[in-house]
Amino acid sequence: MTKHPGAMTRLARPLLAVVAALILLALGAGIAFVLTDALGISTESADIPTEELVAAPASASVPPPVFTSIDAPGSPRLDAAVAELESAVSDAAATAATATLSVVAGGGDPADEAYTLEGEPNALRIVAASETGAVRGVYDLAQAVRDGRSTAERLGERVESRLGFRMADLGAVGVEVDEEAWAAGDDYSHNSKAFEDVILPDAPYIDEAALAVAREDFDAYVDHLLAEGYTAVAVPGLLEYLTFSDVGDGTEVYEPDDEHVARALAMREAFGPMWQSARDAGLQVFLRTDMLVVTTPLEEYLTERFGGLDTENSEFWEVYAAGLDELYREMPAIDGVLIRIGEAGQVYDLPDWDYSSRLAVTTVAAVQTMLTTLLDQAERADREVIFRTWTVGVGAVGDLHTNADSYRTVFEGIDSDRLIVSTKYTLGDFYSHLPINDTLEIGDQRRIIEFQSRREFENFGAWPNDLGDLYAQSLDRLLAANPHIEGIWTWTQDGGPWRAGPLSLELKAGFWQLAELNTELAVRLARDPSLDPASVTADWARRWFSDDAATVQAITQAMTDSREAITDGLYIGPYAEHRVKAIGLEPPPMMWIFEWDIPTGDSAALDVIYAIARDDLDEAIAGGPRAVDAVERMQALIDGTDAATWKDAGLRDAFRESLAYERSTLAMLADYRAMVLHKAQWHDTRDAAAYEEWQEARTAFLASSAEHERDYAGDPYHPAYNLTAARLGLDRAERDQAMGWAAGATLVLTLLWIAYGIAARSRRVGAWPGARLARAMWIAATRPWRAPEVTAALGRAERVLLVAIPAVALVLSRCILTWFAAPAHLVATLGAWLVFGLVVLLLARRLGGRGAMASVAASVGGAVMLRVALLSFALAPTGPGGYWFGFWTDPVARSAYSTVAFALFAWVIVAAGWALARSIGARRAIGAVATACGAAIAVIAGLVAIIGLEAALTAWNDQMALLPWGLSRILGITVYLDIPADSAWWAALAGVVVAAIGAMLLIARRAPRGARFGGGASVA
């Protein structure tokens, strides 16, 4: 028996719908897989060094002798060392007996700084094979005097330095003490603005009076570094000194009258003598620069010649090599360049200053080409290239700093004795709770280790923070593993934003002596890794604070608690002790403070931290009060000292103020950590007890944060933490329960409406008010080929409600998702829905009449109701906070939701096309839907592009609190996540293309009726 074609169609369409649904679910599952892979959240335990700080035994200062005669060869370097010794004796609180000193300096290797201390305590004799060794011996005697140690303690010893290369940064030289700038606390620029008052924007380019002051500043700092034992200094700059006169005919980069040329000449004349004086005093001088660094004319030249910033082209780097040839010829005091490729951009640049950096060296080929070219130049010029492995996760070399395999790949084939590779001692940035950097244990390159004194992530050195044991462990392990390590680089001042934390400038302002401890520890341990770091801490206490044994003991004992306060108070232990990877990056062990002084309020960081720490939640929370206890122990020790025993009563006050500030901050952070962890616990367990604990912690945080801001807001030396992000997160968290109830109510109403439509099949229910409308939406959503049939009898008001009801449900659900607090998200999502809906409905009306318009409205509206039901189901338990908690921490729930959510979203588009096909044919229906989709993409992406992708993402993220608020203020969301800046324009273009294709399908020649989507007559 032959079946009627209509019967075959009745069977084919449901089967086709099932197939379509399965395809959409499969696509959704694929997207869920890609999403999970892109997030890439994983953890592993980390091998964290265990620090054990102990105080050195109590000992009183040893008064120095008065040197009645000092017999030393006459030379500027020895004269400076002798002057420092005499100054140290003069500054001593007391002297004992007399002594003589004779210095013998041979004509040996200038790099040899070994010496022997001979003679008797009252007749000392320094014997060295070179002037360098003799100078070092005199400085060591001066250091012993200032530290309250005996000048004869190394009598009979040959003193050698384990690491001969000991470099420091420029400190605070040339940086103005501007309390207003620090008090504002909103300048996250990494630019020090050193010499800002010296360098003028226009001719003559140099303020001579300001230069004279800066020169005194610099000379004092050079003297300080030499006395501490440093042998090199890194100063910022490179391009500012170049005219590129060696490129082509000398005018290819800059025209002869270009102000860049005049400025470079003025800069050389002003700063060249300063760098030369440091070189003459015994410090090597390296210029420190990002790569790529450009000016506008230079960038235009490179772009025109190479078609862009082609950093994989060796000829490209020959331009910079020519600049270095010029540099060394014109400024012979420069020993080399120190290059960073891993960070760049506006945050490091000086506004209104046409010298800027680009993050452009991001591939292995680019790094190798750069190094090969610049090292060839260094070998010709007898100079050195110090290359930093520091990267922030961007590009193919983004993990060079932390991945041994990447290190080997990058340096494969790079063989030059002019290369020095510089690497931070931590497997990451300068945080605690990080392993020692094992990439420092490999490679045949000359290596130096980077340390940071004024720890940027630990409140910029404004609190006691004794890193001696950590430094000692690092040096012991790394020196044993790698014989190619030859030095250190200590960041005495630099790192992070200069004016977003406490005002502390070395030798100039604030309680800089706290960070100075780590500067002294780094250089002394580099010279003698076997040195007990506790003895250095005691030396530091005697040098700066007191000669009294009891007071020194109290200070050193207090410093043994400094690390517990920091490592417990600023870190959540059970999270920090893991290496975490996410979005292709390795988030830092602090993370809940992102960064420096911003307790973050975003769900991504806080929920992941909770998920990692959840099995040890009590310990995660207990770290806060434990840190406060450690600070209180320090306070008791310092308060217990006799003020009269301090060298400077102001320093005792500064110490006490530092500890009070630390206690206030850590107490507030203790409350904050308890609050955010209990909130996440509530989302995780939905336990009423967890909710109550969250409420209690919230109350405590509101009180302690108000007290903290009252006491420290606007204080440049002890600034209050920036709580903007924390409050954004708290504001949304406080709405979660209400949003959950609203979502539950929306879910119930949506399900009742859907159930009403299903039940309206019966004659009795079908006669009830609105039943016909509900029925039409249900059938059109699930069987869109029947949409013309079920909407044919609807009246004018019912057709309006076809659009109004799902529109209201859609808007309400999205408002709930955003806590009624994220208009940027609503503009993007609801705007896209609005454009899609308007275009598809207008096309349906124009091409198929009112009936086609009603069919599309019913199909789209009904499908939207299904989507609203799913979202409301996800939001109902604990509100949007719970929704995002599941997204970040539960891959199974995330994948299941993403799969169904995508399928339902795509079904809206499929249903619209299927319903419309019954009226205008499959080809034109596809064209109409494609036009609507393309228009929605083009309009929203175009709007984002006009606003600016970074600005749009920042506004969106500020309101949604999903990613750290500080991202855009520090690196930029697009930079950190490696999103091309022009991607919004490309998305808009893609939308235009899709819309154009749809339009062509609409106006193309009509296909035969049998080719229409679904074919045949309508079926009951």
Side-chain angles (χ1 to χ4, degrees):
M1 184 174 69
T2 302
K3 290 188 178 180
H4 189 277
M8 294 180 65
T9 302
R10 284 194 294 271
L11 293 174
R13 284 178 182 146
L15 180 60
L16 185 59
V18 171
V19 171
L22 291 175
I23 291 173
L24 295 181
L25 286 170
L27 288 173
I31 289 174
F33 175 81
V34 170
L35 178 62
T36 296
D37 183 64
L39 289 174
I41 299 174
S42 64
T43 65
E44 62 181 69
S45 296
D47 181 17
I48 310 299
T50 300
E51 299 177 59
E52 296 181 5
L53 273 69
V54 295
S59 62
S61 290
V62 177
V66 173
F67 287 94
T68 56
S69 72
I70 299 178
D71 180 17
S75 76
R77 292 177 63 192
L78 271 168
D79 289 348
V82 169
E84 166 61 13
L85 175 58
E86 291 174 339
S87 175
V89 174
S90 175
D91 291 342
T95 57
T98 60
T100 60
L101 172 65
S102 61
V103 180
V104 178
D109 183 358
D112 181 5
E113 61 176 348
Y115 68 90
T116 302
L117 185 62
E118 300 177 351
E120 301 293 336
N122 62 348
L124 299 173
R125 188 166 181 260
I126 294 172
V127 179
S130 71
E131 180 188 40
T132 301
V135 168
R136 184 71 266 146
V138 177
Y139 274 126
D140 281 356
L141 285 180
Q143 189 177 86
V145 172
R146 294 199 183 277
D147 292 347
R149 291 181 283 111
S150 170
T151 54
E153 68 176 1
R154 308 201 74 167
L155 202 57
E157 294 183 22
R158 177 176 170 79
V159 180
E160 297 178 299
S161 296
R162 174 67 173 81
L163 299 178
F165 185 91
R166 303 183 295 275
M167 185 167 66
D169 63 11
L170 189 59
V173 173
V175 179
E176 183 183 356
V177 180
D178 184 348
E179 292 187 349
E180 275 189 31
W182 265 267
D186 57 0
D187 182 356
Y188 285 90
S189 170
H190 287 45
N191 195 300
S192 70
K193 302 179 185 176
F195 308 113
E196 186 178 34
D197 57 340
V198 175
I199 303 170
L200 303 176
D202 303 304
Y205 303 112
I206 298 296
D207 184 315
E208 293 295 338
L211 177 64
V213 174
R215 176 62 188 266
E216 292 180 3
D217 204 6
F218 179 69
D219 289 345
Y221 183 65
V222 167
D223 290 344
H224 183 69
L225 290 184
L226 290 168
E228 286 196 322
Y230 285 95
T231 61
V233 63
V235 300
L238 172 63
L239 220 53
E240 299 89 337
Y241 302 105
L242 304 184
T243 68
F244 289 100
S245 59
D246 291 7
V247 177
D249 65 1
T251 63
E252 293 187 7
V253 176
Y254 299 133
E255 296 290 339
D257 59 350
D258 192 310
E259 68 173 10
H260 293 85
V261 173
R263 179 179 291 111
L265 297 176
M267 290 284 289
R268 290 179 194 169
E269 184 177 354
F271 291 97
M274 290 173 62
W275 312 149
Q276 184 66 57
S277 70
R279 190 72 177 82
D280 293 342
L283 291 179
Q284 290 183 279
V285 181
F286 291 85
L287 290 186
R288 175 181 171 188
T289 183
D290 284 321
M291 276 295 174
L292 213 55
V293 60
V294 294
T295 61
T296 299
L298 175 60
E299 188 167 13
E300 290 173 350
Y301 168 78
L302 294 171
T303 301
E304 180 179 352
R305 180 177 170 186
F306 300 104
L309 300 180
D310 185 6
T311 57
E312 295 184 6
N313 185 338
S314 61
E315 291 186 7
F316 177 94
W317 291 108
E318 287 292 351
V319 175
Y320 287 90
L324 291 173
D325 284 333
E326 175 193 359
L327 173 75
Y328 298 139
R329 181 177 65 249
E330 301 297 334
M331 300 179 73
I334 305 300
D335 289 278
V337 291
L338 189 158
I339 294 172
R340 176 179 71 176
I341 64 167
E343 287 188 77
Q346 189 174 19
V347 74
Y348 304 96
D349 301 335
L350 195 63
D352 303 321
W353 179 245
D354 189 32
Y355 300 85
S356 57
S357 55
R358 300 285 185 272
L359 198 63
V361 187
T362 58
T363 66
V364 172
V367 176
Q368 291 186 334
T369 304
M370 177 190 73
L371 287 178
T372 299
T373 306
L374 298 187
L375 285 169
D376 286 345
Q377 187 280 331
E379 289 172 4
R380 294 194 309 268
D382 193 23
R383 295 298 194 277
E384 292 174 319
V385 174
I386 302 177
F387 174 72
R388 297 189 61 204
T389 62
W390 176 246
T391 48
V392 292
V394 177
V397 295
D399 62 350
L400 174 61
H401 181 68
T402 58
N403 188 316
D405 291 335
S406 296
Y407 182 94
R408 293 186 182 96
T409 300
V410 166
F411 290 102
E412 183 179 6
I414 304 293
D415 183 19
S416 172
D417 64 357
R418 295 297 171 176
L419 173 64
I420 301 174
V421 180
S422 178
T423 302
K424 295 180 181 180
Y425 79 96
T426 48
L427 201 65
D429 213 336
F430 287 121
Y431 292 96
S432 299
H433 289 280
L434 280 176
I436 295 170
N437 197 334
D438 57 5
T439 68
L440 276 160
E441 299 178 341
I442 62 172
D444 297 328
Q445 297 77 28
R446 300 164 64 191
R447 303 296 294 274
I448 60 174
I449 307 171
E450 298 177 24
F451 297 102
Q452 187 181 47
S453 303
R454 183 176 171 267
R455 299 273 280 201
E456 60 185 286
F457 300 107
E458 295 169 357
N459 210 36
F460 294 93
W463 301 330
N465 196 2
D466 186 336
L467 297 169
D469 186 59
L470 191 56
Y471 283 6
Q473 289 189 58
S474 301
L475 284 166
D476 284 347
R477 171 176 158 178
L478 296 174
L479 293 177
N482 190 345
H484 302 293
I485 294 173
E486 60 183 55
I488 63 165
W489 174 23
T490 304
W491 301 17
T492 69
Q493 179 74 45
D494 209 354
W498 277 65
R499 292 160 180 81
L503 171 50
S504 173
L505 298 177
E506 187 177 19
L507 304 182
K508 296 172 77 168
F511 195 19
W512 57 269
Q513 289 87 352
L514 283 177
E516 189 71 8
L517 168 61
N518 296 321
T519 299
E520 294 174 14
L521 280 161
V523 70
R524 296 195 196 186
L525 289 169
R527 292 188 62 202
D528 182 3
S530 67
L531 196 63
D532 179 6
S535 69
V536 180
T537 301
D539 289 350
W540 164 80
R542 285 191 296 267
R543 168 180 287 237
W544 298 109
F545 304 122
S546 179
D547 292 314
D548 179 72
T551 297
V552 169
Q553 182 69 9
I555 294 170
T556 55
Q557 187 63 50
M559 295 303 290
T560 65
D561 284 319
S562 65
R563 292 296 291 155
E564 182 179 1
I566 295 287
T567 58
D568 278 341
L570 294 180
Y571 300 84
I572 297 174
Y575 164 80
E577 290 163 5
H578 290 81
R579 291 187 69 180
V580 180
K581 294 185 179 179
I583 323 178
L585 304 169
E586 190 165 343
M590 191 174 287
M591 203 59 199
W592 68 302
I593 304 173
F594 190 97
E595 293 202 276
W596 301 293
D597 64 344
I598 307 173
T600 194
D602 64 283
S603 59
L606 297 177
D607 289 346
V608 170
I609 288 171
Y610 164 82
I612 294 171
R614 115 178 85 199
D615 292 337
D616 204 1
L617 192 62
D618 289 343
E619 169 59 23
I621 293 171
R626 193 162 57 237
V628 174
D629 289 344
V631 177
E632 289 176 347
R633 291 196 300 271
M634 287 192 282
Q635 285 180 303
L637 285 164
I638 301 302
D639 288 345
T641 61
D642 182 352
T645 63
W646 286 66
K647 294 181 178 181
D648 183 340
L651 288 178
R652 182 175 185 269
D653 291 341
F655 217 129
R656 297 176 71 237
E657 289 165 2
S658 167
L659 291 171
Y661 171 48
E662 183 175 17
R663 191 199 178 285
S664 170
T665 307
L666 296 187
M668 178 266 293
L669 290 175
D671 293 333
Y672 185 67
R673 89 163 66 193
M675 180 183 75
V676 297
L677 291 176
H678 281 309
K679 185 208 74 169
Q681 184 185 27
W682 173 57
H683 289 314
D684 181 26
T685 64
R686 303 171 193 176
D687 184 359
Y691 185 86
E692 290 301 320
E693 288 177 309
W694 168 50
Q695 288 294 302
E696 291 175 7
R698 170 187 167 276
T699 300
F701 170 70
L702 291 175
S704 59
S705 61
E707 181 180 358
H708 177 71
E709 289 183 317
R710 182 196 69 214
D711 291 342
Y712 296 107
D715 183 341
Y717 300 97
H718 310 100
Y721 265 39
N722 184 336
L723 300 179
T724 303
R727 290 202 171 96
L728 285 171
L730 176 58
D731 174 71
R732 282 138 187 79
E734 290 173 333
R735 303 183 188 197
D736 269 331
Q737 190 172 66
M739 294 300 102
W741 291 337
T746 303
L747 175 62
V748 169
L749 291 174
T750 304
L751 292 178
L752 286 175
W753 180 254
I754 293 171
Y756 193 29
I758 296 172
R761 180 175 184 178
S762 70
R763 290 185 177 180
R764 188 169 68 123
V765 176
W768 293 357
R772 184 169 58 180
L773 176 62
R775 175 76 174 159
M777 291 178 65
W778 167 248
I779 291 177
T782 56
R783 286 151 286 177
W785 58 88
R786 292 187 58 188
E789 167 200 342
V790 296
T791 57
L794 295 179
R796 182 181 181 87
E798 289 173 313
R799 294 191 178 202
V800 171
L801 290 174
L802 276 178
V803 175
I805 290 175
V808 169
L810 180 65
V811 170
L812 180 61
S813 66
R814 291 306 183 276
C815 286
I816 293 170
L817 174 64
T818 59
W819 300 274
F820 287 83
H825 186 84
L826 297 180
V827 167
T829 56
L830 296 181
W833 279 109
L834 178 63
V835 173
F836 171 81
L838 285 175
V839 172
V840 77
L841 288 176
L842 289 173
L843 289 174
R845 169 69 183 273
R846 181 172 180 80
L847 298 173
R850 293 180 181 274
M853 185 177 178
S855 299
V856 172
S859 297
V860 170
V864 164
M865 294 298 283
L866 297 176
R867 185 72 175 78
V868 168
L870 175 66
L871 178 59
S872 299
F873 173 78
L875 292 171
T878 59
Y883 172 95
W884 289 110
F885 177 86
F887 180 86
W888 298 121
T889 67
D890 190 338
V892 174
R894 177 178 62 237
S895 296
Y897 176 84
S898 300
T899 298
V900 179
F902 173 82
L904 288 177
F905 166 76
W907 180 253
V908 174
I909 300 171
V910 171
W914 207 330
L916 192 54
R918 298 303 310 280
S919 302
I920 65 173
R923 173 181 49 78
R924 291 203 294 171
I926 294 171
V929 171
T931 301
C933 290
I937 295 170
V939 169
I940 300 305
L943 177 62
V944 169
I946 291 170
I947 295 171
L949 182 59
E950 181 64 35
L953 286 175
T954 297
W956 170 80
N957 189 56
D958 285 355
Q959 295 167 11
M960 290 296 292
L962 300 183
L963 299 173
W965 178 86
L967 263 185
S968 64
R969 280 83 184 166
I970 298 162
L971 290 173
I973 296 175
T974 53
V975 172
Y976 196 76
L977 299 183
D978 202 16
I979 303 172
D982 58 355
S983 55
W985 287 112
W986 284 108
L989 178 61
V992 171
V993 171
V994 170
I997 293 172
M1000 287 190 289
L1001 290 172
L1002 285 172
I1003 63 176
R1005 184 178 177 182
R1006 183 188 295 262
R1009 182 174 178 80
R1012 292 182 185 178
F1013 188 13
S1018 63
V1019 292

mmCIF file of all heavy atoms in Angstrom, residues 334-355:
data_model
loop_
_atom_site.group_PDB
_atom_site.id
_atom_site.type_symbol
_atom_site.label_atom_id
_atom_site.label_comp_id
_atom_site.label_asym_id
_atom_site.label_seq_id
_atom_site.Cartn_x
_atom_site.Cartn_y
_atom_site.Cartn_z
ATOM 1 N N ILE A 334 79.078 53.203 28.786
ATOM 2 C CA ILE A 334 78.028 52.181 28.833
ATOM 3 C C ILE A 334 78.627 50.812 28.557
ATOM 4 O O ILE A 334 79.272 50.601 27.521
ATOM 5 C CB ILE A 334 76.905 52.496 27.830
ATOM 6 C CG1 ILE A 334 76.345 53.901 28.069
ATOM 7 C CG2 ILE A 334 75.809 51.456 27.908
ATOM 8 C CD1 ILE A 334 75.762 54.110 29.447
ATOM 9 N N ASP A 335 78.399 49.874 29.469
ATOM 10 C CA ASP A 335 78.970 48.532 29.334
ATOM 11 C C ASP A 335 78.084 47.571 28.557
ATOM 12 O O ASP A 335 78.542 46.493 28.174
ATOM 13 C CB ASP A 335 79.229 47.942 30.719
ATOM 14 C CG ASP A 335 80.381 48.632 31.421
ATOM 15 O OD1 ASP A 335 81.531 48.271 31.147
ATOM 16 O OD2 ASP A 335 80.123 49.554 32.218
ATOM 17 N N GLY A 336 76.838 47.930 28.343
ATOM 18 C CA GLY A 336 75.947 47.044 27.607
ATOM 19 C C GLY A 336 74.508 47.436 27.817
ATOM 20 O O GLY A 336 74.190 48.464 28.427
ATOM 21 N N VAL A 337 73.620 46.599 27.290
ATOM 22 C CA VAL A 337 72.187 46.844 27.425
ATOM 23 C C VAL A 337 71.526 45.670 28.134
ATOM 24 O O VAL A 337 71.969 44.522 28.025
ATOM 25 C CB VAL A 337 71.504 47.072 26.059
ATOM 26 C CG1 VAL A 337 71.950 48.380 25.450
ATOM 27 C CG2 VAL A 337 71.755 45.914 25.112
ATOM 28 N N LEU A 338 70.485 45.994 28.868
ATOM 29 C CA LEU A 338 69.686 44.999 29.576
ATOM 30 C C LEU A 338 68.297 45.032 28.933
ATOM 31 O O LEU A 338 67.626 46.060 28.937
ATOM 32 C CB LEU A 338 69.616 45.354 31.065
ATOM 33 C CG LEU A 338 69.000 44.333 32.021
ATOM 34 C CD1 LEU A 338 69.481 44.594 33.442
ATOM 35 C CD2 LEU A 338 67.484 44.385 32.018
ATOM 36 N N ILE A 339 67.870 43.903 28.374
ATOM 37 C CA ILE A 339 66.681 43.864 27.534
ATOM 38 C C ILE A 339 65.573 43.033 28.185
ATOM 39 O O ILE A 339 65.810 41.912 28.639
ATOM 40 C CB ILE A 339 67.021 43.268 26.154
ATOM 41 C CG1 ILE A 339 67.974 44.203 25.410
ATOM 42 C CG2 ILE A 339 65.762 43.021 25.335
ATOM 43 C CD1 ILE A 339 68.517 43.608 24.137
ATOM 44 N N ARG A 340 64.372 43.600 28.170
ATOM 45 C CA ARG A 340 63.174 42.864 28.583
ATOM 46 C C ARG A 340 62.221 42.793 27.394
ATOM 47 O O ARG A 340 61.956 43.797 26.740
ATOM 48 C CB ARG A 340 62.483 43.571 29.742
ATOM 49 C CG ARG A 340 61.170 42.920 30.165
ATOM 50 C CD ARG A 340 60.521 43.635 31.332
ATOM 51 N NE ARG A 340 59.988 44.937 30.943
ATOM 52 C CZ ARG A 340 59.298 45.736 31.774
ATOM 53 N NH1 ARG A 340 59.109 45.376 33.024
ATOM 54 N NH2 ARG A 340 58.836 46.904 31.357
ATOM 55 N N ILE A 341 61.664 41.610 27.119
ATOM 56 C CA ILE A 341 60.693 41.463 26.039
ATOM 57 C C ILE A 341 59.300 41.137 26.561
ATOM 58 O O ILE A 341 58.326 41.200 25.824
ATOM 59 C CB ILE A 341 61.106 40.347 25.053
ATOM 60 C CG1 ILE A 341 61.116 38.982 25.771
ATOM 61 C CG2 ILE A 341 62.451 40.656 24.412
ATOM 62 C CD1 ILE A 341 61.200 37.802 24.846
ATOM 63 N N GLY A 342 59.194 40.808 27.849
ATOM 64 C CA GLY A 342 57.967 40.193 28.351
ATOM 65 C C GLY A 342 56.872 41.124 28.797
ATOM 66 O O GLY A 342 55.744 40.694 29.029
ATOM 67 N N GLU A 343 57.164 42.402 28.971
ATOM 68 C CA GLU A 343 56.133 43.356 29.353
ATOM 69 C C GLU A 343 56.359 44.632 28.561
ATOM 70 O O GLU A 343 57.490 45.015 28.292
ATOM 71 C CB GLU A 343 56.184 43.665 30.862
ATOM 72 C CG GLU A 343 55.696 42.547 31.741
ATOM 73 C CD GLU A 343 55.589 42.956 33.202
ATOM 74 O OE1 GLU A 343 54.625 43.652 33.544
ATOM 75 O OE2 GLU A 343 56.477 42.585 33.976
ATOM 76 N N ALA A 344 55.274 45.276 28.209
ATOM 77 C CA ALA A 344 55.372 46.529 27.460
ATOM 78 C C ALA A 344 54.000 47.169 27.440
ATOM 79 O O ALA A 344 53.009 46.589 27.876
ATOM 80 C CB ALA A 344 55.856 46.256 26.031
ATOM 81 N N GLY A 345 53.954 48.378 26.919
ATOM 82 C CA GLY A 345 52.669 49.038 26.755
ATOM 83 C C GLY A 345 52.555 50.307 27.559
ATOM 84 O O GLY A 345 53.509 50.787 28.174
ATOM 85 N N GLN A 346 51.348 50.830 27.559
ATOM 86 C CA GLN A 346 51.094 52.159 28.108
ATOM 87 C C GLN A 346 51.452 52.269 29.577
ATOM 88 O O GLN A 346 51.905 53.319 30.038
ATOM 89 C CB GLN A 346 49.615 52.496 27.905
ATOM 90 C CG GLN A 346 49.261 53.936 28.224
ATOM 91 C CD GLN A 346 47.826 54.248 27.866
ATOM 92 O OE1 GLN A 346 47.014 53.354 27.722
ATOM 93 N NE2 GLN A 346 47.519 55.522 27.729
ATOM 94 N N VAL A 347 51.263 51.194 30.332
ATOM 95 C CA VAL A 347 51.507 51.272 31.766
ATOM 96 C C VAL A 347 52.986 51.526 32.074
ATOM 97 O O VAL A 347 53.333 51.988 33.152
ATOM 98 C CB VAL A 347 51.008 49.985 32.449
ATOM 99 C CG1 VAL A 347 51.934 48.818 32.179
ATOM 100 C CG2 VAL A 347 50.844 50.171 33.950
ATOM 101 N N TYR A 348 53.862 51.242 31.115
ATOM 102 C CA TYR A 348 55.295 51.452 31.319
ATOM 103 C C TYR A 348 55.799 52.739 30.668
ATOM 104 O O TYR A 348 56.944 53.130 30.866
ATOM 105 C CB TYR A 348 56.084 50.269 30.747
ATOM 106 C CG TYR A 348 55.655 48.961 31.336
ATOM 107 C CD1 TYR A 348 54.734 48.145 30.686
ATOM 108 C CD2 TYR A 348 56.129 48.550 32.575
ATOM 109 C CE1 TYR A 348 54.314 46.950 31.247
ATOM 110 C CE2 TYR A 348 55.722 47.363 33.148
ATOM 111 C CZ TYR A 348 54.806 46.565 32.477
ATOM 112 O OH TYR A 348 54.380 45.391 33.036
ATOM 113 N N ASP A 349 54.946 53.367 29.858
ATOM 114 C CA ASP A 349 55.365 54.539 29.104
ATOM 115 C C ASP A 349 55.041 55.827 29.853
ATOM 116 O O ASP A 349 54.166 55.863 30.713
ATOM 117 C CB ASP A 349 54.678 54.546 27.727
ATOM 118 C CG ASP A 349 55.000 53.300 26.909
ATOM 119 O OD1 ASP A 349 56.062 52.708 27.163
ATOM 120 O OD2 ASP A 349 54.190 52.923 26.050
ATOM 121 N N LEU A 350 55.746 56.868 29.477
ATOM 122 C CA LEU A 350 55.532 58.180 30.083
ATOM 123 C C LEU A 350 54.608 58.983 29.175
ATOM 124 O O LEU A 350 54.876 59.126 27.980
ATOM 125 C CB LEU A 350 56.872 58.897 30.237
ATOM 126 C CG LEU A 350 56.923 60.120 31.156
ATOM 127 C CD1 LEU A 350 56.591 59.717 32.583
ATOM 128 C CD2 LEU A 350 58.300 60.752 31.093
ATOM 129 N N PRO A 351 53.495 59.499 29.692
ATOM 130 C CA PRO A 351 52.566 60.269 28.859
ATOM 131 C C PRO A 351 53.261 61.471 28.216
ATOM 132 O O PRO A 351 54.154 62.083 28.792
ATOM 133 C CB PRO A 351 51.491 60.721 29.865
ATOM 134 C CG PRO A 351 51.578 59.744 30.995
ATOM 135 C CD PRO A 351 53.023 59.361 31.084
ATOM 136 N N ASP A 352 52.822 61.771 26.996
ATOM 137 C CA ASP A 352 53.348 62.934 26.257
ATOM 138 C C ASP A 352 54.856 62.824 26.008
ATOM 139 O O ASP A 352 55.557 63.829 25.927
ATOM 140 C CB ASP A 352 53.038 64.239 27.007
ATOM 141 C CG ASP A 352 51.545 64.414 27.262
ATOM 142 O OD1 ASP A 352 50.755 64.077 26.363
ATOM 143 O OD2 ASP A 352 51.181 64.852 28.362
ATOM 144 N N TRP A 353 55.341 61.617 25.900
ATOM 145 C CA TRP A 353 56.779 61.375 25.702
ATOM 146 C C TRP A 353 56.880 60.367 24.566
ATOM 147 O O TRP A 353 56.404 59.248 24.679
ATOM 148 C CB TRP A 353 57.373 60.841 26.999
ATOM 149 C CG TRP A 353 58.825 60.493 27.013
ATOM 150 C CD1 TRP A 353 59.354 59.239 27.181
ATOM 151 C CD2 TRP A 353 59.930 61.382 26.891
ATOM 152 N NE1 TRP A 353 60.718 59.293 27.181
ATOM 153 C CE2 TRP A 353 61.112 60.603 27.000
ATOM 154 C CE3 TRP A 353 60.053 62.754 26.698
ATOM 155 C CZ2 TRP A 353 62.378 61.154 26.915
ATOM 156 C CZ3 TRP A 353 61.321 63.308 26.621
ATOM 157 C CH2 TRP A 353 62.474 62.509 26.730
ATOM 158 N N ASP A 354 57.460 60.779 23.450
ATOM 159 C CA ASP A 354 57.415 59.959 22.236
ATOM 160 C C ASP A 354 58.477 58.862 22.231
ATOM 161 O O ASP A 354 59.253 58.720 21.289
ATOM 162 C CB ASP A 354 57.562 60.845 20.999
ATOM 163 C CG ASP A 354 57.293 60.050 19.715
ATOM 164 O OD1 ASP A 354 56.472 59.121 19.765
ATOM 165 O OD2 ASP A 354 57.921 60.351 18.686
ATOM 166 N N TYR A 355 58.510 58.121 23.304
ATOM 167 C CA TYR A 355 59.346 56.925 23.400
ATOM 168 C C TYR A 355 58.472 55.882 24.090
ATOM 169 O O TYR A 355 58.099 56.072 25.255
ATOM 170 C CB TYR A 355 60.618 57.192 24.211
ATOM 171 C CG TYR A 355 61.491 58.276 23.615
ATOM 172 C CD1 TYR A 355 61.248 59.623 23.891
ATOM 173 C CD2 TYR A 355 62.540 57.951 22.761
ATOM 174 C CE1 TYR A 355 62.036 60.623 23.331
ATOM 175 C CE2 TYR A 355 63.342 58.956 22.202
ATOM 176 C CZ TYR A 355 63.077 60.289 22.491
ATOM 177 O OH TYR A 355 63.846 61.277 21.933
#
